[in-house]
Amino acid sequence: MKVALHGLTLKAEFIRDVKSLFQALQQHHMEVFVTEQFDRQLRMHGNIGLNYWLLDGSDDMSQMDFLISIGGDGTLLDSVCQVGELETPILGLNTGRLGFLATVATDKIHEAVQHLGENNYQVEKRSLVSLDCNRRLFNGLNFGLNEFTIHKRDTSSMITVHTYIDGKYLNSYWADGLIVATPTGSTGYSLSCGGPLISPEAKNLVITPVSPHNLNVRPIIVSDESEITFEIEGRAEKFLISLDSRSTSISSDLKLMVKKENFHARLVKLPSYNFFDTLRYKLNWGFDMRN
């Protein structure tokens, strides 16, 4: 079995956990590969006596049985970009904070690797949002697991986002921005802007305004078979768009269309994982300081 490791940062406090992960993988006779980004992080700490192969592009990635994301949810989002349409299963080891996506705690490393070795896991298919544009953006990585966002830039003034569903006019949002989130992304930026929580297997997208001028404008859930197009107006000449944590500046003359991507992100879920348990724990549902 071949396993790739990916991480964007590696704090000294997690070196022991990384060593424990390598030890567990080797005990189960798994070949360990690392991405260039994670290799740089390991070298910053002197390689800490670990043996591994360096991944060389998509050809090597296509041979991997799993990718283990080491970090928080942001690292896992970047891992989705590393994998792309190969759909290599991704397991998230949480060395970050919230951990809606990176669900394996550092004290469960050996248990998690044992489940992988024994094929005792499930793979959840998570839908992705895709951006079509009349200009090449994001170096061709025009998909995201969480959301696509339009934002104002370099001004305190609102922008107007004229929005259409399958060519039919929906609304003109006077706001700081607009989010189109997947069910996975419903627990992210969209949630902080008042959007609803959506079960991961739901076949929907949610359109959520960011600080709308009209208080009666609310998030709306639409089918993920929809094609959503936008026209942007504002006092500034440039606007900001993003896919997950990647952003770029655009002008209003670009044609933007968002829809569901043709491939999926495949997230490894261990036997102890339950989405609703995660919701209750991360959002402190039922927690009362008085009890």
Side-chain angles (χ1 to χ4, degrees):
M1 186 178 291
K2 296 180 178 180
V3 178
L5 306 183
H6 178 61
L8 299 176
T9 61
L10 179 60
K11 297 179 181 178
E13 62 196 88
F14 293 113
I15 294 297
R16 183 178 64 179
D17 297 315
V18 170
K19 288 183 176 180
S20 180
L21 175 60
F22 271 81
Q23 181 185 37
L25 293 170
Q26 290 164 358
Q27 285 176 351
H28 287 81
H29 309 291
M30 300 181 187
E31 291 186 72
V32 181
F33 295 73
V34 304
T35 61
E36 290 184 5
Q37 295 94 324
F38 196 52
D39 176 57
R40 286 195 294 268
Q41 294 298 315
L42 292 173
R43 290 182 182 278
M44 286 174 59
H45 296 281
N47 266 357
I48 55 180
L50 302 175
N51 295 316
Y52 54 80
W53 301 92
L54 186 62
L55 275 172
D56 184 17
S58 59
D59 287 342
D60 280 357
M61 183 64 77
S62 66
Q63 302 176 38
M64 298 297 109
D65 296 290
F66 299 98
L67 184 145
I68 298 179
S69 168
I70 303 170
D73 286 351
T75 304
L76 195 141
L77 293 175
D78 192 73
S79 297
V80 173
C81 291
Q82 295 286 327
V83 170
E85 59 187 334
L86 295 173
E87 295 192 350
T88 306
I90 301 171
L91 177 68
L93 175 61
N94 186 18
T95 61
R97 293 186 294 272
L98 195 57
F100 268 109
L101 300 174
T103 56
V104 178
T106 53
D107 61 350
K108 302 292 185 182
I109 288 174
H110 282 268
E111 179 183 332
V113 173
Q114 182 175 350
H115 285 309
L116 291 184
E118 296 174 352
N119 292 321
N120 186 25
Y121 59 87
Q122 293 182 330
V123 175
E124 265 188 2
K125 283 187 176 183
R126 298 288 185 98
S127 60
L128 303 168
V129 65
S130 172
L131 172 66
D132 280 356
C133 183
N134 55 337
R135 196 183 85 194
R136 179 180 168 88
L137 299 170
F138 301 106
N139 294 319
L141 296 174
N142 62 328
F143 57 88
L145 176 59
N146 266 3
E147 71 269 315
F148 165 76
T149 305
I150 300 170
H151 249 296
K152 65 181 184 180
R153 180 188 176 213
D154 300 334
T155 178
S156 60
S157 301
M158 292 181 298
I159 60 175
T160 304
V161 184
H162 306 291
T163 305
Y164 302 82
I165 306 293
D166 296 327
K168 299 182 177 65
Y169 177 65
L170 171 65
N171 190 24
S172 293
Y173 292 93
W174 297 354
D176 285 353
L178 194 67
I179 305 165
V180 179
T182 65
T184 301
S186 71
T187 59
Y189 188 19
S190 175
L191 176 63
S192 70
C193 294
L197 294 168
I198 304 177
S199 181
E201 65 272 11
K203 300 184 182 300
N204 299 115
L205 297 170
V206 56
I207 303 173
T208 306
V210 180
S211 301
H213 178 67
N214 297 324
L215 296 181
N216 60 344
V217 174
R218 291 289 181 258
I220 181 171
I221 298 172
V222 300
S223 166
D224 65 4
E225 297 299 324
S226 304
E227 293 185 350
I228 309 170
T229 53
F230 310 95
E231 298 172 1
I232 313 171
E233 293 181 13
R235 294 181 182 177
E237 295 181 358
K238 296 289 186 179
F239 306 94
L240 200 65
I241 61 171
S242 64
L243 282 166
D244 293 343
S245 57
R246 295 164 286 131
S247 61
T248 188
S249 179
I250 65 164
S251 56
S252 60
D253 61 339
L254 290 188
K255 298 183 183 299
L256 304 172
M257 189 265 284
V258 166
K259 61 181 180 180
K260 182 179 67 175
E261 183 55 90
N262 293 325
F263 55 89
H264 295 82
R266 302 176 69 211
L267 304 186
V268 176
K269 298 304 174 188
L270 302 180
S272 59
Y273 172 80
N274 181 285
F275 173 72
F276 300 111
D277 289 343
T278 301
L279 275 186
R280 286 195 305 273
Y281 176 70
K282 300 298 181 181
L283 299 179
N284 290 324
W285 285 358
F287 178 77
D288 190 334
M289 288 288 290
R290 298 169 296 180
N291 298 323

